[in-house]
Amino acid sequence: MSKLFTPENSALLLIDHQVGTMQLIKNIDVAQAKRMSLALAKAAKILGIPTVLTSSQEERLQGPLLPELEEILPEAFANRVKREGIVNAWTDANFKAAVEATGRKNLIMAGVTTDVCLVFPAIDAVGEGYNVQAVMDASGSPYELSEDMSRRRMQDAGVILTATNTMIAELAQNWGTENGQKLIQLLFTEVLPPIGN
């Protein structure tokens, strides 16, 4: 990876975190995956990181995007890219244009499901010269096997696999700053297990 991911050079892409598709996550706890996805959105809001949201066929089984995303990032939610069946978001002209409009080369990506919605755009973005970190606890698959195969495929293509707490720490760099204080508060309240006896 050529660069440290910072709030100044990164964009957040959340792919198909929809009410229906979330229910397909079986390899990790779905409530945890949801919590981590929303924590990434909150971190992006704190740091002013441009965020692109996309959904696939909201009127079908996939359902609408998580309503909490609208509360956290109303502008990104309003501008979400609604795909009408295109599986690989990277091949959707509107999604690609939205990513390019951020002007960022470091992409933080999460998708539901990992084995369909995340694997293809993550690999394609790397192929086009972007640095990609895939946040695995904000993504998930119906089966351990398909999750494992997708992780291997992404790694082989140069995608960096990470987790929400690691990603937020990398973006923070220093807990002592004003934003660092907000991020560590976010980690301790919503991401990390409780500390105590």
Side-chain angles (χ1 to χ4, degrees):
M1 202 164 41
S2 63
K3 273 188 186 166
L4 185 73
F5 278 47
T6 69
E8 294 73 36
N9 67 21
S10 303
L12 174 64
L13 315 182
L14 294 180
I15 302 168
D16 301 352
H17 287 78
Q18 295 166 247
V19 172
T21 52
M22 292 295 290
Q23 295 174 43
L24 294 173
I25 297 176
K26 303 297 181 193
N27 67 303
I28 58 173
D29 179 62
V30 69
Q32 179 192 4
K34 179 178 177 180
R35 206 168 60 249
M36 298 305 158
S37 306
L38 298 177
L40 288 173
K42 289 174 183 177
K45 181 177 183 177
I46 289 167
L47 297 169
I49 293 173
T51 302
V52 178
L53 304 178
T54 185
S55 62
S56 178
Q57 301 183 313
E58 291 186 18
E59 69 288 345
R60 300 199 182 185
L61 279 172
Q62 293 95 317
L65 279 181
L66 294 173
E68 293 91 341
L69 289 170
E70 184 173 18
E71 295 167 27
I72 300 163
L73 297 168
E75 189 176 337
F77 188 92
N79 294 326
R80 70 192 180 279
V81 178
K82 295 182 184 178
R83 305 187 327 284
E84 286 307 318
I86 293 177
V87 173
N88 180 352
W90 198 256
T91 64
D92 184 291
N94 294 321
F95 180 78
K96 187 93 170 290
V99 174
E100 289 170 350
T102 68
R104 309 295 173 90
K105 277 299 201 181
N106 289 348
L107 305 180
I108 302 159
M109 298 176 74
V112 181
T113 58
T114 307
D115 60 357
V116 175
C117 305
L118 176 61
V119 61
F120 303 121
I123 289 170
D124 281 357
V126 168
E128 293 187 24
Y130 288 84
N131 302 308
V132 177
Q133 290 201 50
V135 188
M136 302 318 296
D137 56 356
S139 311
S141 298
Y143 304 104
E144 288 286 354
L145 180 70
S146 62
E147 175 81 13
D148 183 38
M149 296 303 108
S150 297
R151 289 180 183 187
R152 291 188 202 190
R153 196 167 165 186
M154 285 190 287
Q155 281 190 303
D156 287 347
V159 177
I160 304 297
L161 306 188
T162 192
T164 300
N165 57 335
T166 310
M167 192 72 253
I168 290 175
E170 182 172 342
L171 292 167
Q173 286 305 298
N174 182 349
W175 302 126
T177 64
E178 184 180 346
N179 282 338
Q181 287 290 302
K182 293 176 184 173
L183 291 174
I184 201 165
Q185 176 73 17
L186 176 65
L187 282 182
F188 279 119
T189 55
E190 300 189 34
V191 175
L192 297 171
I195 293 177
N197 37 9

PDB file of all heavy atoms in Angstrom, residues 4 33 42 45 48 60 68 73 76 82 89 106 113 118-119 130 137 146 152 158 160 162 176 187 195:
ATOM      1  N   LEU A   4      -0.415   5.820   3.794  1.00  0.00           N
ATOM      2  CA  LEU A   4      -1.249   5.711   4.983  1.00  0.00           C
ATOM      3  C   LEU A   4      -2.621   6.281   4.641  1.00  0.00           C
ATOM      4  O   LEU A   4      -2.723   7.289   3.947  1.00  0.00           O
ATOM      5  CB  LEU A   4      -0.597   6.541   6.090  1.00  0.00           C
ATOM      6  CG  LEU A   4      -1.218   6.486   7.469  1.00  0.00           C
ATOM      7  CD1 LEU A   4      -0.918   5.138   8.121  1.00  0.00           C
ATOM      8  CD2 LEU A   4      -0.649   7.610   8.337  1.00  0.00           C
ATOM      9  N   ALA A  33     -22.070  -6.708  12.572  1.00  0.00           N
ATOM     10  CA  ALA A  33     -21.771  -6.172  11.239  1.00  0.00           C
ATOM     11  C   ALA A  33     -22.479  -4.834  11.033  1.00  0.00           C
ATOM     12  O   ALA A  33     -21.897  -3.890  10.482  1.00  0.00           O
ATOM     13  CB  ALA A  33     -22.189  -7.169  10.171  1.00  0.00           C
ATOM     14  N   LYS A  42     -20.129   6.903  11.070  1.00  0.00           N
ATOM     15  CA  LYS A  42     -19.965   7.944  12.091  1.00  0.00           C
ATOM     16  C   LYS A  42     -18.544   8.502  12.086  1.00  0.00           C
ATOM     17  O   LYS A  42     -18.339   9.712  12.241  1.00  0.00           O
ATOM     18  CB  LYS A  42     -20.329   7.394  13.474  1.00  0.00           C
ATOM     19  CG  LYS A  42     -21.822   7.150  13.622  1.00  0.00           C
ATOM     20  CD  LYS A  42     -22.167   6.462  14.939  1.00  0.00           C
ATOM     21  CE  LYS A  42     -23.658   6.174  15.002  1.00  0.00           C
ATOM     22  NZ  LYS A  42     -24.047   5.456  16.226  1.00  0.00           N
ATOM     23  N   LYS A  45     -18.216  10.824   9.255  1.00  0.00           N
ATOM     24  CA  LYS A  45     -18.867  12.112   9.556  1.00  0.00           C
ATOM     25  C   LYS A  45     -17.969  12.977  10.440  1.00  0.00           C
ATOM     26  O   LYS A  45     -17.789  14.169  10.178  1.00  0.00           O
ATOM     27  CB  LYS A  45     -20.213  11.862  10.239  1.00  0.00           C
ATOM     28  CG  LYS A  45     -20.955  13.150  10.557  1.00  0.00           C
ATOM     29  CD  LYS A  45     -22.313  12.887  11.159  1.00  0.00           C
ATOM     30  CE  LYS A  45     -23.058  14.190  11.386  1.00  0.00           C
ATOM     31  NZ  LYS A  45     -24.418  13.963  11.911  1.00  0.00           N
ATOM     32  N   GLY A  48     -15.038  14.164   8.272  1.00  0.00           N
ATOM     33  CA  GLY A  48     -15.339  14.822   7.003  1.00  0.00           C
ATOM     34  C   GLY A  48     -14.861  14.025   5.799  1.00  0.00           C
ATOM     35  O   GLY A  48     -14.494  14.599   4.767  1.00  0.00           O
ATOM     36  N   ARG A  60     -37.025  -4.493  -4.030  1.00  0.00           N
ATOM     37  CA  ARG A  60     -37.156  -5.956  -4.017  1.00  0.00           C
ATOM     38  C   ARG A  60     -36.723  -6.519  -2.667  1.00  0.00           C
ATOM     39  O   ARG A  60     -36.679  -5.811  -1.679  1.00  0.00           O
ATOM     40  CB  ARG A  60     -36.333  -6.543  -5.161  1.00  0.00           C
ATOM     41  CG  ARG A  60     -36.836  -6.009  -6.505  1.00  0.00           C
ATOM     42  CD  ARG A  60     -36.388  -6.863  -7.658  1.00  0.00           C
ATOM     43  NE  ARG A  60     -36.851  -6.278  -8.902  1.00  0.00           N
ATOM     44  CZ  ARG A  60     -36.701  -6.833 -10.077  1.00  0.00           C
ATOM     45  NH1 ARG A  60     -36.115  -8.008 -10.187  1.00  0.00           N
ATOM     46  NH2 ARG A  60     -37.152  -6.232 -11.157  1.00  0.00           N
ATOM     47  N   GLU A  68     -30.572   4.030   9.566  1.00  0.00           N
ATOM     48  CA  GLU A  68     -29.609   4.763  10.410  1.00  0.00           C
ATOM     49  C   GLU A  68     -28.588   5.518   9.562  1.00  0.00           C
ATOM     50  O   GLU A  68     -28.067   6.560   9.983  1.00  0.00           O
ATOM     51  CB  GLU A  68     -28.873   3.797  11.341  1.00  0.00           C
ATOM     52  CG  GLU A  68     -29.753   3.142  12.396  1.00  0.00           C
ATOM     53  CD  GLU A  68     -30.367   1.818  11.951  1.00  0.00           C
ATOM     54  OE1 GLU A  68     -30.420   1.549  10.732  1.00  0.00           O
ATOM     55  OE2 GLU A  68     -30.811   1.063  12.835  1.00  0.00           O
ATOM     56  N   LEU A  73     -25.533  10.192   7.826  1.00  0.00           N
ATOM     57  CA  LEU A  73     -24.991  10.857   6.629  1.00  0.00           C
ATOM     58  C   LEU A  73     -26.128  11.201   5.666  1.00  0.00           C
ATOM     59  O   LEU A  73     -26.266  10.601   4.595  1.00  0.00           O
ATOM     60  CB  LEU A  73     -23.980   9.935   5.929  1.00  0.00           C
ATOM     61  CG  LEU A  73     -22.720   9.570   6.720  1.00  0.00           C
ATOM     62  CD1 LEU A  73     -21.975   8.431   6.038  1.00  0.00           C
ATOM     63  CD2 LEU A  73     -21.811  10.782   6.884  1.00  0.00           C
ATOM     64  N   ALA A  76     -25.106  11.958   1.901  1.00  0.00           N
ATOM     65  CA  ALA A  76     -24.666  10.758   1.178  1.00  0.00           C
ATOM     66  C   ALA A  76     -25.843   9.833   0.918  1.00  0.00           C
ATOM     67  O   ALA A  76     -25.938   9.206  -0.141  1.00  0.00           O
ATOM     68  CB  ALA A  76     -23.576  10.032   1.970  1.00  0.00           C
ATOM     69  N   LYS A  82     -28.468   4.270  -6.751  1.00  0.00           N
ATOM     70  CA  LYS A  82     -29.419   3.153  -6.788  1.00  0.00           C
ATOM     71  C   LYS A  82     -29.167   2.344  -8.054  1.00  0.00           C
ATOM     72  O   LYS A  82     -29.459   2.812  -9.152  1.00  0.00           O
ATOM     73  CB  LYS A  82     -30.853   3.680  -6.780  1.00  0.00           C
ATOM     74  CG  LYS A  82     -31.254   4.403  -5.517  1.00  0.00           C
ATOM     75  CD  LYS A  82     -32.714   4.824  -5.633  1.00  0.00           C
ATOM     76  CE  LYS A  82     -33.147   5.638  -4.433  1.00  0.00           C
ATOM     77  NZ  LYS A  82     -34.556   6.080  -4.581  1.00  0.00           N
ATOM     78  N   ALA A  89     -20.709  -3.066  -8.430  1.00  0.00           N
ATOM     79  CA  ALA A  89     -20.954  -1.622  -8.363  1.00  0.00           C
ATOM     80  C   ALA A  89     -19.920  -0.832  -9.160  1.00  0.00           C
ATOM     81  O   ALA A  89     -20.227   0.228  -9.709  1.00  0.00           O
ATOM     82  CB  ALA A  89     -20.961  -1.167  -6.902  1.00  0.00           C
ATOM     83  N   ASN A 106      -7.494   6.492  -1.974  1.00  0.00           N
ATOM     84  CA  ASN A 106      -7.552   5.477  -0.933  1.00  0.00           C
ATOM     85  C   ASN A 106      -9.014   5.212  -0.600  1.00  0.00           C
ATOM     86  O   ASN A 106      -9.726   6.115  -0.143  1.00  0.00           O
ATOM     87  CB  ASN A 106      -6.801   5.924   0.328  1.00  0.00           C
ATOM     88  CG  ASN A 106      -5.300   5.936   0.126  1.00  0.00           C
ATOM     89  OD1 ASN A 106      -4.783   5.411  -0.864  1.00  0.00           O
ATOM     90  ND2 ASN A 106      -4.591   6.532   1.060  1.00  0.00           N
ATOM     91  N   THR A 113     -23.346  -8.537   0.335  1.00  0.00           N
ATOM     92  CA  THR A 113     -22.474  -9.473   1.019  1.00  0.00           C
ATOM     93  C   THR A 113     -21.042  -9.386   0.490  1.00  0.00           C
ATOM     94  O   THR A 113     -20.825  -8.972  -0.639  1.00  0.00           O
ATOM     95  CB  THR A 113     -22.979 -10.926   0.820  1.00  0.00           C
ATOM     96  OG1 THR A 113     -23.035 -11.210  -0.592  1.00  0.00           O
ATOM     97  CG2 THR A 113     -24.390 -11.106   1.377  1.00  0.00           C
ATOM     98  N   LEU A 118     -18.979  -6.997  -2.377  1.00  0.00           N
ATOM     99  CA  LEU A 118     -17.697  -6.370  -2.044  1.00  0.00           C
ATOM    100  C   LEU A 118     -16.553  -6.874  -2.908  1.00  0.00           C
ATOM    101  O   LEU A 118     -15.720  -6.090  -3.365  1.00  0.00           O
ATOM    102  CB  LEU A 118     -17.374  -6.613  -0.562  1.00  0.00           C
ATOM    103  CG  LEU A 118     -16.018  -6.111  -0.059  1.00  0.00           C
ATOM    104  CD1 LEU A 118     -15.891  -4.589  -0.223  1.00  0.00           C
ATOM    105  CD2 LEU A 118     -15.806  -6.502   1.402  1.00  0.00           C
ATOM    106  N   VAL A 119     -16.490  -8.160  -3.132  1.00  0.00           N
ATOM    107  CA  VAL A 119     -15.317  -8.769  -3.766  1.00  0.00           C
ATOM    108  C   VAL A 119     -15.007  -8.164  -5.136  1.00  0.00           C
ATOM    109  O   VAL A 119     -13.855  -7.820  -5.426  1.00  0.00           O
ATOM    110  CB  VAL A 119     -15.463 -10.317  -3.834  1.00  0.00           C
ATOM    111  CG1 VAL A 119     -16.662 -10.752  -4.664  1.00  0.00           C
ATOM    112  CG2 VAL A 119     -14.189 -10.968  -4.338  1.00  0.00           C
ATOM    113  N   TYR A 130      -6.293   2.192  -7.477  1.00  0.00           N
ATOM    114  CA  TYR A 130      -6.709   2.666  -6.158  1.00  0.00           C
ATOM    115  C   TYR A 130      -6.088   1.774  -5.079  1.00  0.00           C
ATOM    116  O   TYR A 130      -5.790   0.602  -5.317  1.00  0.00           O
ATOM    117  CB  TYR A 130      -8.236   2.614  -6.016  1.00  0.00           C
ATOM    118  CG  TYR A 130      -8.965   3.653  -6.814  1.00  0.00           C
ATOM    119  CD1 TYR A 130      -9.260   3.456  -8.157  1.00  0.00           C
ATOM    120  CD2 TYR A 130      -9.381   4.851  -6.232  1.00  0.00           C
ATOM    121  CE1 TYR A 130      -9.945   4.409  -8.908  1.00  0.00           C
ATOM    122  CE2 TYR A 130     -10.061   5.809  -6.963  1.00  0.00           C
ATOM    123  CZ  TYR A 130     -10.345   5.583  -8.294  1.00  0.00           C
ATOM    124  OH  TYR A 130     -11.016   6.539  -9.033  1.00  0.00           O
ATOM    125  N   ASP A 137     -15.337  -6.752   9.202  1.00  0.00           N
ATOM    126  CA  ASP A 137     -16.393  -6.907  10.211  1.00  0.00           C
ATOM    127  C   ASP A 137     -17.571  -5.971   9.947  1.00  0.00           C
ATOM    128  O   ASP A 137     -18.559  -5.982  10.678  1.00  0.00           O
ATOM    129  CB  ASP A 137     -15.859  -6.746  11.639  1.00  0.00           C
ATOM    130  CG  ASP A 137     -15.134  -5.433  11.882  1.00  0.00           C
ATOM    131  OD1 ASP A 137     -14.952  -4.642  10.928  1.00  0.00           O
ATOM    132  OD2 ASP A 137     -14.730  -5.198  13.034  1.00  0.00           O
ATOM    133  N   SER A 146     -17.821 -19.273   1.232  1.00  0.00           N
ATOM    134  CA  SER A 146     -17.821 -18.197   0.233  1.00  0.00           C
ATOM    135  C   SER A 146     -17.115 -16.949   0.765  1.00  0.00           C
ATOM    136  O   SER A 146     -16.453 -16.234   0.013  1.00  0.00           O
ATOM    137  CB  SER A 146     -19.246 -17.880  -0.221  1.00  0.00           C
ATOM    138  OG  SER A 146     -20.042 -17.432   0.859  1.00  0.00           O
ATOM    139  N   ARG A 152      -9.688 -14.541   0.175  1.00  0.00           N
ATOM    140  CA  ARG A 152      -8.453 -14.958  -0.497  1.00  0.00           C
ATOM    141  C   ARG A 152      -8.321 -14.274  -1.855  1.00  0.00           C
ATOM    142  O   ARG A 152      -7.234 -13.831  -2.234  1.00  0.00           O
ATOM    143  CB  ARG A 152      -8.465 -16.477  -0.708  1.00  0.00           C
ATOM    144  CG  ARG A 152      -8.346 -17.271   0.574  1.00  0.00           C
ATOM    145  CD  ARG A 152      -8.160 -18.728   0.228  1.00  0.00           C
ATOM    146  NE  ARG A 152      -8.537 -19.596   1.330  1.00  0.00           N
ATOM    147  CZ  ARG A 152      -8.286 -20.903   1.340  1.00  0.00           C
ATOM    148  NH1 ARG A 152      -7.678 -21.464   0.308  1.00  0.00           N
ATOM    149  NH2 ARG A 152      -8.650 -21.639   2.354  1.00  0.00           N
ATOM    150  N   GLY A 158      -4.515  -7.812  -4.166  1.00  0.00           N
ATOM    151  CA  GLY A 158      -3.876  -6.637  -3.571  1.00  0.00           C
ATOM    152  C   GLY A 158      -4.761  -5.799  -2.667  1.00  0.00           C
ATOM    153  O   GLY A 158      -4.367  -4.715  -2.231  1.00  0.00           O
ATOM    154  N   ILE A 160      -6.241  -4.852   0.818  1.00  0.00           N
ATOM    155  CA  ILE A 160      -5.846  -5.014   2.215  1.00  0.00           C
ATOM    156  C   ILE A 160      -7.095  -5.301   3.043  1.00  0.00           C
ATOM    157  O   ILE A 160      -8.071  -4.549   2.974  1.00  0.00           O
ATOM    158  CB  ILE A 160      -5.166  -3.736   2.758  1.00  0.00           C
ATOM    159  CG1 ILE A 160      -3.969  -3.349   1.892  1.00  0.00           C
ATOM    160  CG2 ILE A 160      -4.775  -3.896   4.214  1.00  0.00           C
ATOM    161  CD1 ILE A 160      -2.842  -4.329   1.853  1.00  0.00           C
ATOM    162  N   THR A 162      -9.015  -5.523   6.599  1.00  0.00           N
ATOM    163  CA  THR A 162      -8.863  -4.860   7.894  1.00  0.00           C
ATOM    164  C   THR A 162     -10.146  -5.009   8.695  1.00  0.00           C
ATOM    165  O   THR A 162     -11.083  -5.685   8.280  1.00  0.00           O
ATOM    166  CB  THR A 162      -8.478  -3.378   7.699  1.00  0.00           C
ATOM    167  OG1 THR A 162      -8.061  -2.834   8.960  1.00  0.00           O
ATOM    168  CG2 THR A 162      -9.626  -2.545   7.135  1.00  0.00           C
ATOM    169  N   GLY A 176      -5.118  12.118  20.947  1.00  0.00           N
ATOM    170  CA  GLY A 176      -5.100  13.355  21.713  1.00  0.00           C
ATOM    171  C   GLY A 176      -5.693  14.556  20.994  1.00  0.00           C
ATOM    172  O   GLY A 176      -5.947  15.593  21.607  1.00  0.00           O
ATOM    173  N   LEU A 187     -15.140   4.379  19.479  1.00  0.00           N
ATOM    174  CA  LEU A 187     -14.628   3.017  19.638  1.00  0.00           C
ATOM    175  C   LEU A 187     -15.113   2.387  20.940  1.00  0.00           C
ATOM    176  O   LEU A 187     -15.588   1.250  20.952  1.00  0.00           O
ATOM    177  CB  LEU A 187     -13.095   3.012  19.612  1.00  0.00           C
ATOM    178  CG  LEU A 187     -12.408   3.131  18.262  1.00  0.00           C
ATOM    179  CD1 LEU A 187     -10.890   3.049  18.438  1.00  0.00           C
ATOM    180  CD2 LEU A 187     -12.868   2.045  17.298  1.00  0.00           C
ATOM    181  N   ILE A 195     -15.184  -2.443  28.735  1.00  0.00           N
ATOM    182  CA  ILE A 195     -14.105  -2.630  29.715  1.00  0.00           C
ATOM    183  C   ILE A 195     -14.732  -2.577  31.101  1.00  0.00           C
ATOM    184  O   ILE A 195     -15.541  -1.715  31.397  1.00  0.00           O
ATOM    185  CB  ILE A 195     -13.057  -1.511  29.575  1.00  0.00           C
ATOM    186  CG1 ILE A 195     -12.324  -1.652  28.228  1.00  0.00           C
ATOM    187  CG2 ILE A 195     -12.064  -1.558  30.737  1.00  0.00           C
ATOM    188  CD1 ILE A 195     -11.308  -0.560  27.953  1.00  0.00           C
TER     189      ILE A 195
END
